[in-house]
Amino acid sequence: MACRLSITDEDFYCPICCDIFRNPILLPCSHSICNSCVKTFWNRRGTQECPICRTVSSIPNPPINIVLRNMCDLMREETTQEPPVETAEFCSLHGEPLTFFCTEDQELACGKCRNAKSHKNHRIRSTADASQDLRQELQLKLKAFLEKLRVYEQIKQSWDETGEYIKEQTQHTETKIKEAFEKLHQFLEDEEAARMTALRKEEEQKSEIIKKKIEEIRSGMLSLSHIIESVEEQLRRNDFTFLVNYKATTERTKCTMRDQTKPSGMLINVAKHVGNITFEVSKKLQANVRYTPLTFDPNTAHPYLLVSDDLTSITYTDEHFQQLPANPERFDGYTSILGSEGFNSGTRCWDVEVGDSTAWAVGVITESAYKHRQTPSKTGLWYVGFCNGKYGKGYSPEILTLLRVTQRIQRIRVQLDWDKAKSHSPTRVVISVCMCLNTRSLRECSLTFIVTV
C-alpha cells in the first residue's frame, strides 16, 4: 500500500524569518530557505553553510524551489483574502472592533475604551500606525541583537584562533624542549663515554704493567728451580765428585733476587674518575653551554617581529604579517617586544647589537608608560636612538635632543643600577624597532648609555 506524505503549514514557513517562504532556494542538503534570508545569513557568518544542518554549500547561487514557491504564493494569497486581524478581534467589554492601541498600557482598545477613564491622558493611536512604529522599534532592537551576535561570533572566533595557536605553540615548544634535552643527553653520553674510555685506558696500562711483572717473577722462579735442582743433585753425589763441582755449584747459587716491592699508584684512581663527578660534569657543561641573561617573550612580539628559536634575537620584517592571536600582552601599535622576566634589585647590564639597522632606539620605559603605549605619556621614557640618518636622546616621545656622532654606532650598552634607587620596582626589558627597559620608577636609578662605534 502506497504511503502518502503529510504536509503541514509549518512546511511553508522559512526557519529564519518565520514567515511564508519568498523565493525559496533549494540547498544541496535539501533544506529550503528564503533567498534573502540565506544571503543575509551567509554574509553574517562568512561561509555558505545551511542555517539548519550547517552543511557547507559549494553553489553560490542555489536554484529556486519552484514548486514550493508556487505553493507559498497560493497560501499567501489565501491569507491576504482573510479579514484583517483588527476587524476579526472585538472588545470583550463593548463588543466593538479593537482598532486602537494604548502606548502607555501597551494594549488594544476599541472606540469606547479609548474614551474611558482608564485611558485618560494616554496616548491612543490607530493599530496601523502603532504597529508600524513598534515594528520599526523592534527592528532596531533586532539589529542591535544581530550586532551583538556578530560581536560574540568574532569573540568566539578569536578564542578559537587562540586555542589553535596554543596547540601550535605547544608543539613548537615541545620540539624545542626535546632538541635542548637531546643536546644535553648527547653531552652527557659523550662525557660518560670519555670517562669510560679513560677508565679502560688506565686499566689497560696498569694491567700491562702487572703482566710484565708476573712474567719477570715467572722467569725468576724458573731460574731458582734450576739452581735448586742442581744443588740437590750435587748433594746426592759422593764426596770426591761433590768437592770437584763445589766451586761451580757455589757460583750458580750467587744468583740474586730482584726487588719485587709493589710501586705506589698501581690501583685504579677511583677518586679521579668518580670524585665530584656530578659537579665536574656540570661545571664542564656550564662552560660549554651558552647562557643568555636576557631572553624575549614571544607572546608580546609585534606581528612584524620574528623571534629566533632561542629567544635571544629579533628580526623586523613587514613583508610577512604573522597571523597571531590578539592577546592583551602583544604590541599592536609600536613594533616592540618585552623581555621574558622582570628585575627589582641589583645591577643590570645589556649589550644591544644594532649593527647596520636603519632605525632603532635603546632605553628604558616606565611600566605605566608601557601600559599606555597606544597613547604614550609625556614622561616615563629614556632612550637614545637613530632615525633618518640622525642620532638623538630623549626622555619622552615629544622631547628629543640631537647627538653629534662622528662614526656609525654598532652596539649600545644599557647599565641600570638598582642599588642607587630609593624605591625598587619590577622591570622588564622592551625591545622594539627600538630597545627599551620597562620599569615603574627610574628617576633615582643610575642609568648609563655606553655606545661602541
Side-chain angles (χ1 to χ4, degrees):
M1 183 176 180
C3 178
R4 183 177 64 86
L5 292 175
S6 60
I7 300 178
T8 63
D9 291 344
E10 295 180 355
D11 296 327
F12 297 98
Y13 285 83
C14 174
I16 301 297
C17 64
C18 298
D19 200 356
I20 299 175
F21 282 112
R22 293 182 182 275
N23 294 325
I25 61 173
L26 182 62
L27 297 175
C29 58
S30 299
H31 289 120
S32 293
I33 312 290
C34 288
N35 187 28
S36 59
C37 292
V38 76
K39 292 299 176 62
T40 302
F41 181 81
W42 285 357
N43 291 334
R44 188 170 70 247
R45 296 285 295 182
T47 179
Q48 297 180 173
E49 60 182 24
C50 174
I52 300 175
C53 65
R54 304 300 184 188
T55 301
V56 177
S57 173
S58 59
I59 304 175
N61 295 305
I64 299 294
N65 192 335
I66 300 176
V67 176
L68 181 59
R69 183 190 65 181
N70 294 338
M71 296 175 67
C72 290
D73 290 344
L74 291 174
M75 186 175 181
R76 193 177 293 105
E77 290 177 1
E78 294 177 358
T79 304
T80 55
Q81 292 176 0
E82 296 178 357
V85 176
E86 290 81 355
T87 60
E89 298 292 339
F90 296 90
C91 178
S92 59
L93 293 176
H94 306 104
E96 294 187 3
L98 298 172
T99 56
F100 297 98
F101 185 80
C102 177
T103 58
E104 278 77 1
D105 296 333
Q106 294 188 354
E107 62 181 20
L108 291 166
C110 66
K112 291 182 179 181
C113 292
R114 177 184 182 185
N115 299 321
K117 290 183 179 180
S118 59
H119 292 291
K120 186 178 180 180
N121 298 326
H122 287 188
R123 186 183 181 190
I124 306 296
R125 306 182 64 190
S126 67
T127 53
D129 293 341
S131 177
Q132 182 178 359
D133 292 343
L134 293 177
R135 286 178 186 275
Q136 292 178 356
E137 182 181 335
L138 284 178
Q139 286 289 346
L140 292 176
K141 290 183 178 180
L142 178 62
K143 184 178 180 180
F145 281 118
L146 290 174
E147 179 63 23
K148 289 182 180 179
L149 179 60
R150 186 185 65 82
V151 173
Y152 271 119
E153 289 175 347
Q154 290 178 347
I155 295 174
K156 178 181 178 297
Q157 182 179 0
S158 176
W159 280 106
D160 290 340
E161 293 174 353
T162 301
E164 292 299 323
Y165 187 73
I166 288 175
K167 292 181 181 178
E168 295 177 3
Q169 274 189 311
T170 302
Q171 293 176 355
H172 180 74
T173 305
E174 181 180 346
T175 300
K176 294 305 172 185
I177 292 174
K178 287 183 177 179
E179 290 178 355
F181 275 92
E182 283 177 2
K183 292 180 180 179
L184 292 176
H185 294 160
Q186 187 61 48
F187 171 83
L188 293 176
E189 289 176 1
D190 293 344
E191 185 66 20
E192 178 186 6
R195 287 178 173 270
M196 294 298 291
T197 300
L199 174 63
R200 298 303 181 194
K201 184 176 181 180
E202 182 179 356
E203 180 193 17
E204 291 176 0
Q205 291 175 347
K206 293 184 175 180
S207 297
E208 185 66 24
I209 293 174
I210 293 175
K211 182 180 178 180
K212 291 180 178 179
K213 288 294 183 181
I214 292 176
E215 290 295 329
E216 291 178 359
I217 292 172
R218 286 177 177 173
S219 177
M221 292 174 63
L222 183 61
S223 298
L224 286 175
S225 298
H226 292 325
I227 293 173
I228 292 171
E229 291 177 357
S230 177
V231 170
E232 289 178 345
E233 182 182 354
Q234 292 300 322
L235 289 174
R236 288 193 296 270
R237 293 187 177 186
N238 55 38
D239 294 339
F240 177 81
T241 304
F242 171 77
L243 294 174
V244 170
N245 297 323
Y246 177 77
K247 184 177 181 179
T249 303
T250 54
E251 289 295 330
R252 296 187 65 180
T253 59
K254 290 181 180 180
C255 175
T256 60
M257 185 176 179
R258 296 180 182 180
D259 184 13
Q260 300 298 327
T261 304
K262 288 184 179 179
S264 61
M266 283 305 299
L267 298 180
I268 295 295
N269 192 348
V270 178
K272 173 184 175 182
H273 297 290
V274 181
N276 290 323
I277 183 171
T278 304
F279 173 76
E280 294 295 335
V281 172
S282 62
K283 185 171 66 173
K284 188 175 180 180
L285 175 63
Q286 186 176 4
N288 288 276
V289 174
R290 178 187 174 189
Y291 170 70
T292 303
L294 173 64
T295 57
F296 300 128
D297 183 358
N299 292 337
T300 65
H302 187 278
Y304 281 163
L305 293 181
L306 302 177
V307 188
S308 62
D309 289 337
D310 59 359
L311 308 181
T312 60
S313 64
I314 55 174
T315 304
Y316 174 82
T317 173
D318 57 0
E319 297 179 356
H320 177 62
F321 189 87
Q322 303 176 86
Q323 296 298 326
L324 302 173
N327 49 308
E329 304 90 346
R330 192 175 305 283
F331 283 91
D332 55 5
Y334 293 107
T335 313
S336 310
I337 184 174
L338 282 177
S340 61
E341 58 181 327
F343 307 103
N344 56 11
S345 63
T347 301
R348 307 292 172 179
C349 177
W350 297 271
D351 283 349
V352 186
E353 298 285 348
V354 295
D356 297 326
S357 300
T358 58
W360 51 263
V362 178
V364 293
I365 185 173
T366 63
E367 188 175 51
S368 59
Y370 159 68
K371 289 182 177 179
H372 298 85
R373 57 191 182 276
Q374 299 295 342
T375 56
S377 59
K378 293 184 179 181
T379 59
L381 179 65
W382 296 263
Y383 66 94
V384 293
F386 175 73
C387 186
N388 296 327
K390 297 180 181 179
Y391 293 93
K393 66 177 182 178
Y395 58 88
S396 77
E398 294 82 7
I399 301 175
L400 179 66
T401 304
L402 294 179
L403 295 174
R404 293 182 179 180
V405 180
T406 58
Q407 299 183 46
R408 191 175 184 86
I409 295 175
Q410 297 291 320
R411 179 184 300 169
I412 301 291
R413 172 170 294 178
V414 181
Q415 291 181 338
L416 180 64
D417 190 352
W418 278 105
D419 294 335
K420 293 184 179 180
K422 294 181 179 179
S423 61
H424 294 168
S425 302
T427 69
R428 291 184 77 184
V429 174
V430 179
I431 306 286
S432 54
V433 178
C434 57
M435 182 177 213
C436 306
L437 180 68
N438 178 24
T439 176
R440 291 178 181 172
S441 175
L442 287 172
R443 295 186 181 277
E444 291 78 23
C445 294
S446 173
L447 181 63
T448 306
F449 296 101
I450 302 175
V451 299
T452 304
V453 296

